[in-house]
């Protein structure tokens, strides 16, 4: 479903600030795979997400989604294929617009936008039904402005919007990191529920090792722009934080650099 | 109704069309577009030239709208494709349009007195209805027109494209991730906005009986004043409410200007007055909020102090 081949990306090439962000990345996700990505700051996780979604263009290599090479497609052109939730709860929704208007925009993601009304009676029923699946009571607040919602509610809505049209690939970029623990747990549960229900091919970046182990069927560890560990579904079932850390020390010969990864 | 008051109402409603255009860019797209000063004149120039050359006023007005749309789109293209700062793109268009407007008109001023215009046609058509009614024919015509435009704008902003346009001004990153090319929505928004501005200019030229190369100077500030005054007085809770507020703001602005002229200010003071109105309208809400906040805090402090006192005294009694 998603195939990355020989991806290289260097920032500020040829200057003193040169940084190799991605170094020869090879990654293939089968349909329905749910892969979690961990790694310390600067490992290249977010760069990888940006390259898949088209915010950044790789220096070398190809990105293939559902058999289609998308290298030359801009972000908005790839968007029908990709659902994305950002770390910032404010980033995924339009605060001055209502809940139903936001959902209408998500609904139009894989269709041509025209002069039809964005929110119609039939669509409103559909919006209500899908909001009910969040168990937050948002279905009764269709005409409330999204700016009035709490961070957790907004992130839940972002998640729903990102998955509304069942994208080929779902990208979750530390989407629970900015929330308090109980809200983060809620969003984590919703993520599991939504991804399971629709069988979405998902790539999730997280700083939280426990979350990375709990969710998904495959785990990848990145460091300094490379994939240094790829845990397959069989091994992942018995994976623990201790074993992950040991694995990291064995490969790198150094301690894992981030306390946040363990404690966060 | 006094003639002066009726006149302010008529021109206020015509300016309201321009203010709706400014609302589209300034509020919806979050794009401060200064093209307005140029495109307002362009509207007047195109309509006037076509009318004096024997074309129908209706055709002249439609052509003016199209010219406004084209020049608005150019500003949008400068900003999105040329990556020029929004303010600067508007200023560049405005300056360029000054020369273009002179080219269109061929001279600095075209008189329309004695020519058939949309408004004289309305007057002629209504003359059969009796004098008392025909006196109000122009104001009724422009009010119906501006309400019609408001309804179209409201409806457009509810469409799928309209939602994408609003999201572009609200959270561009988000709507890009929902497959909208924000370059296109910006160009579309600025184009439509300047279409409305040019329509307003075309009607103003026909209303006042001439088109002048400097008739658009300061228009953007009048538009902003209308938007800000309208929102402050009538509220902006929803799009429907806000567009109505902008129309109200334009009319009120015009009435205030008429009043200021009556108390002895000269027409040349009006630009200064407008700037002052906008400054006050921008600063006042902030100051009022601060003042309210402070009052609330003082009240709370007083209350907690008196509670503390009561508590202490209560303690004494117990002891």
């Amino acid at each position: 479903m998603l195939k990355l081949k020989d991806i290289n990306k260097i920032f500020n090439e040829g200057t003193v600030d040169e940084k190799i962000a991605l170094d020869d990345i090879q990654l293939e996700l089968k349909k329905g795979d749910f892969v979690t990505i961990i790694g310390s700051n600067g490992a290249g996780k977010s760069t990888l997400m940006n390259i898949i979604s088209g915010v950044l263009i790789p220096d070398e290599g190809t990105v293939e989604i559902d058999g289609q090479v998308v290298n030359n497609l801009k972000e908005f052109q790839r968007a029908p294929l990709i659902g994305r939730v950002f770390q910032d709860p404010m980033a995924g929704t339009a605060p001055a617009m209502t809940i139903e208007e936001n959902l209408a925009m998500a609904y139009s993601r894989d269709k041509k936008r025209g002069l039809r009304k964005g929110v119609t009676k039939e669509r409103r029923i559909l919006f209500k039904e899908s909001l009910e699946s969040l168990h937050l009571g948002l279905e009764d607040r269709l005409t409330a402005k999204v700016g009035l919602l709490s961070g957790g509610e907004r992130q839940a809505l972002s998640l729903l919007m990102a998955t509304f049209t069942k994208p080929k690939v779902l990208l979750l970029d530390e989407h629970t990191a900015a929330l308090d623990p109980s809200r983060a747990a809620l969003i984590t549960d919703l993520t599991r529920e939504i991804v399971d229900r629709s069988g979405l091919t998902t790539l999730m970046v997280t700083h939280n090792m426990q979350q990375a182990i709990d969710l998904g069927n495959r785990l990848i560890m990145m460091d300094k722009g490379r994939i240094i560990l790829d845990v397959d579904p069989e091994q992942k079932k018995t994976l623990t934080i201790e074993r992950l850390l040991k694995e990291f020390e064995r490969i790198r010969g150094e301690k894992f650099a981030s306390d946040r990864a363990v404690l966060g | 109704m006094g003639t002066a008051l009726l006149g302010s109402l008529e021109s206020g409603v015509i300016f309201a069309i321009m203010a709706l255009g400014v609302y589209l860019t300034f509020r919806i797209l979050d794009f401060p577009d200064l093209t307005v000063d140029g495109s307002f004149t362009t509207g007047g120039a195109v309509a006037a030239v076509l009318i004096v050359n024997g074309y129908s006023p209706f055709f002249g007005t439609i052509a003016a709208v199209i010219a406004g749309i084209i020049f608005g789109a150019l500003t949008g293209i400068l900003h999105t494709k040329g990556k020029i700062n929004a303010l600067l793109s508007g200023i560049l268009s405005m300056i360029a349009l000054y020369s273009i407007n002179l080219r269109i008109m061929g001279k600095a001023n075209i008189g329309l007195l004695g020519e058939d215009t949309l408004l004289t046609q309305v007057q002629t058509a209504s003359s059969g209805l009796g004098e008392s009614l025909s006196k109000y024919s122009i104001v009724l015509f422009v009010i119906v027109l501006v309400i019609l435009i408001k309804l179209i704008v409201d409806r457009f902003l509810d469409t799928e494209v309209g939602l994408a346009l609003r999201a572009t001004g609200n959270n561009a990153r988000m709507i890009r991730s929902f497959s909208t090319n924000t370059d296109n929505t910006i160009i579309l928004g600025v184009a439509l906005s300047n279409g409305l501005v040019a329509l307003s200019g075309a009607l103003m030229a026909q209303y006042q009986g001439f088109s002048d190369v400097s008739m658009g100077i300061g228009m953007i500030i009048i538009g902003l004043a209308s938007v800000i005054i309208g929102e402050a007085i009538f509220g902006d809770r929803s799009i429907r409410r806000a567009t109505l507020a902008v129309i109200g703001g334009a009319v009120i602005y015009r009435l205030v200007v008429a009043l200021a002229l009556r108390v002895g200010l000269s027409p040349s003071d009006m630009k200064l007055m407008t700037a002052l109105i906008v400054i006050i309208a921008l600063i006042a809400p902030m100051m009022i909020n601060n003042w309210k906040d402070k009052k609330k805090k003082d009240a709370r402090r007083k209350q907690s102090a008196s509670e503390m006192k009561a508590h202490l005294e209560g303690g004494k009694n117990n002891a």
Side-chain angles (χ1 to χ4, degrees):
Chain A
M1 188 53 72
L2 172 70
K3 199 167 166 187
L4 304 177
K5 231 174 113 190
D6 314 319
I7 300 283
N8 280 293
K9 180 76 190 176
I10 303 176
F11 290 125
N12 304 316
E13 194 166 4
T15 71
V16 284
D17 291 327
E18 180 170 301
K19 179 169 172 15
I20 299 174
L22 291 178
D23 187 2
D24 210 25
I25 296 284
Q26 320 282 346
L27 181 65
E28 189 170 350
L29 267 65
K30 289 199 277 292
K31 192 169 171 11
D33 266 354
F34 185 169
V35 179
T36 55
I37 307 180
I38 52 170
S40 40
N41 289 332
K45 309 180 300 285
S46 291
T47 309
L48 189 68
M49 293 297 210
N50 283 332
I51 285 210
I52 296 169
S53 60
V55 177
L56 295 172
I57 306 296
D59 297 339
E60 284 172 77
T62 55
V63 180
E64 205 179 300
I65 298 175
D66 199 20
Q68 183 189 1
V69 176
V70 295
N71 274 39
N72 294 323
L73 297 186
K74 292 206 176 99
E75 184 188 359
F76 71 87
Q77 292 166 318
R78 289 181 203 190
L81 305 170
I82 301 171
R84 193 165 187 202
V85 184
F86 305 96
Q87 177 176 356
D88 178 3
M90 307 298 147
T93 46
M97 299 170 73
T98 63
I99 292 180
E100 59 182 13
E101 285 168 345
N102 271 277
L103 278 165
M105 292 187 281
Y107 180 83
S108 308
R109 181 222 292 275
D110 59 352
K111 302 162 191 73
K112 193 158 169 44
R113 286 186 169 84
L115 293 178
R116 285 177 302 268
K117 266 194 132 175
V119 181
T120 59
K121 264 191 197 133
E122 301 90 65
R123 288 188 193 175
R124 197 172 276 142
I125 294 167
L126 179 71
F127 297 162
K128 265 195 154 164
E129 276 170 10
S130 45
L131 282 167
E132 275 163 15
S133 71
L134 298 180
H135 320 299
L136 289 171
L138 295 182
E139 61 274 12
D140 301 323
R141 300 168 67 189
L142 281 178
T143 53
K145 291 207 170 135
V146 170
L148 299 171
L149 304 185
S150 71
E153 288 169 333
R154 277 185 81 164
Q155 202 65 327
L157 183 61
S158 304
L159 187 64
L160 180 66
M161 286 167 62
T163 54
F164 207 60
T165 51
K166 310 229 174 349
K168 302 288 179 200
V169 177
L170 175 64
L171 302 178
L172 306 171
D173 196 350
E174 294 196 48
H175 68 307
T176 63
L179 304 172
D180 65 60
S182 69
R183 292 284 146 190
L186 173 86
I187 299 296
T188 306
D189 288 345
L190 282 174
T191 305
R192 185 185 291 128
E193 214 177 296
I194 289 173
V195 170
D196 276 356
R197 194 187 316 138
S198 310
L200 297 171
T201 310
T202 305
L203 205 55
M204 178 177 94
V205 168
T206 175
H207 255 105
N208 183 328
M209 282 201 181
Q210 195 58 53
Q211 191 186 35
I213 291 170
D214 291 345
L215 283 174
N217 65 339
R218 201 173 137 196
L219 182 146
I220 284 172
M221 189 188 265
M222 287 185 73
D223 188 55
K224 301 193 173 104
R226 307 183 131 249
I227 294 176
I228 56 169
L229 183 69
D230 191 340
V231 184
D232 65 32
E234 260 329 292
Q235 294 171 306
K236 187 164 182 297
K237 282 176 190 153
T238 56
L239 197 65
T240 60
I241 292 184
E242 290 76 36
R243 282 188 47 198
L244 258 184
L245 290 173
K246 266 202 196 105
E247 210 42 42
F248 180 83
E249 280 170 41
R250 189 180 61 77
I251 297 166
R252 277 291 162 201
E254 57 185 294
K255 290 243 179 209
F256 196 80
S258 167
D259 289 341
R260 211 183 125 208
V262 186
L263 305 171
Chain B
M1 201 185 289
T3 318
L5 196 63
L6 186 63
S8 325
L9 189 59
E10 286 163 350
S11 58
V13 175
I14 293 175
F15 277 132
I17 299 173
M18 181 267 302
L20 281 173
V22 171
Y23 171 76
L24 271 185
T25 45
F26 184 64
R27 279 289 188 245
I28 298 289
L29 270 184
D30 197 16
F31 184 111
D33 175 32
L34 300 190
T35 316
V36 172
D37 275 23
S39 58
F40 187 81
T41 312
T42 306
V46 169
V49 162
L50 288 173
I51 288 171
V52 294
N53 280 303
Y55 291 92
S56 83
F58 180 74
F59 175 77
T61 309
I62 296 293
V65 173
I66 293 170
I69 288 176
I70 292 171
F71 290 121
L74 284 178
T75 304
I77 289 169
L78 282 182
H79 173 61
T80 55
K81 307 297 179 193
K83 311 275 178 226
I84 298 173
N85 164 293
L87 271 176
L88 188 55
S89 333
I91 292 173
L92 289 170
S93 289
M94 176 181 87
I95 293 295
L97 278 176
Y98 188 83
S99 301
I100 293 171
N101 292 335
L102 269 174
R103 280 280 176 193
I104 292 172
M105 295 204 289
K107 52 188 176 180
N109 192 300
I110 295 180
L112 288 171
L113 292 176
E115 298 283 346
D116 229 9
T117 71
L118 270 186
L119 300 176
T120 59
Q121 285 177 345
V122 167
Q123 261 174 331
T124 319
S126 68
S127 60
L129 300 173
E131 194 173 338
S132 57
L133 206 68
S134 91
K135 186 182 167 199
Y136 296 114
S137 60
I138 287 184
V139 77
L140 287 177
F141 170 72
V142 288
I143 286 177
V144 168
L145 184 67
V146 80
I147 294 292
L148 201 66
I149 290 171
K150 171 207 149 44
L151 293 176
I152 293 172
V153 168
D154 289 349
R155 179 64 174 71
F156 170 69
L157 290 175
D158 270 346
T159 63
E160 292 166 348
V161 174
L163 290 179
L165 190 91
R166 285 160 63 193
T168 303
N170 197 217
N171 188 347
R173 181 181 173 200
M174 166 258 175
I175 195 65
R176 270 197 295 274
S177 83
F178 286 106
S179 75
T180 289
N181 183 349
T182 48
D183 284 2
N184 289 350
T185 46
I186 290 173
I187 294 169
L188 176 70
V190 181
L192 291 178
S193 161
N194 282 289
L196 289 179
V197 172
L199 172 60
S200 177
L203 289 175
M204 187 45 77
Q206 296 175 62
Y207 174 72
Q208 65 191 9
F210 63 92
S211 161
D212 187 276
V213 74
S214 62
M215 68 190 266
I217 293 178
M219 229 13 90
I220 180 66
I221 293 298
I222 295 179
L224 285 181
S226 307
V227 171
I228 294 168
I229 293 171
E231 286 180 342
I233 295 179
F234 303 107
D236 57 348
R237 215 163 275 170
S238 63
I239 297 282
R240 276 172 190 74
R241 184 70 173 269
T243 48
L244 193 63
V246 168
I247 295 170
V251 172
I252 287 179
Y253 167 80
R254 213 58 217 167
L255 294 176
V256 170
V257 166
L259 212 65
L261 288 175
R262 183 159 291 184
V263 299
L265 285 173
S266 100
S268 60
D269 294 330
M270 282 309 115
K271 300 264 192 282
L272 173 64
M273 254 224 14
T274 310
L276 288 177
I277 290 176
V278 173
I279 291 170
I280 291 169
L282 285 173
I283 294 175
M286 185 179 71
M287 284 174 52
I288 290 170
N289 274 345
N290 284 349
W291 179 72
K292 272 189 188 158
D293 230 35
K294 192 171 173 311
K295 229 173 86 173
K296 233 188 255 165
K297 272 190 185 154
D298 282 354
R300 202 177 297 158
R301 207 161 292 154
K302 235 182 224 163
Q303 198 189 343
S304 71
S306 65
E307 270 170 17
M308 182 101 76
K309 212 171 149 196
H311 186 73
L312 283 176
E313 276 167 6
K316 247 181 235 161
N317 290 344
N318 286 344

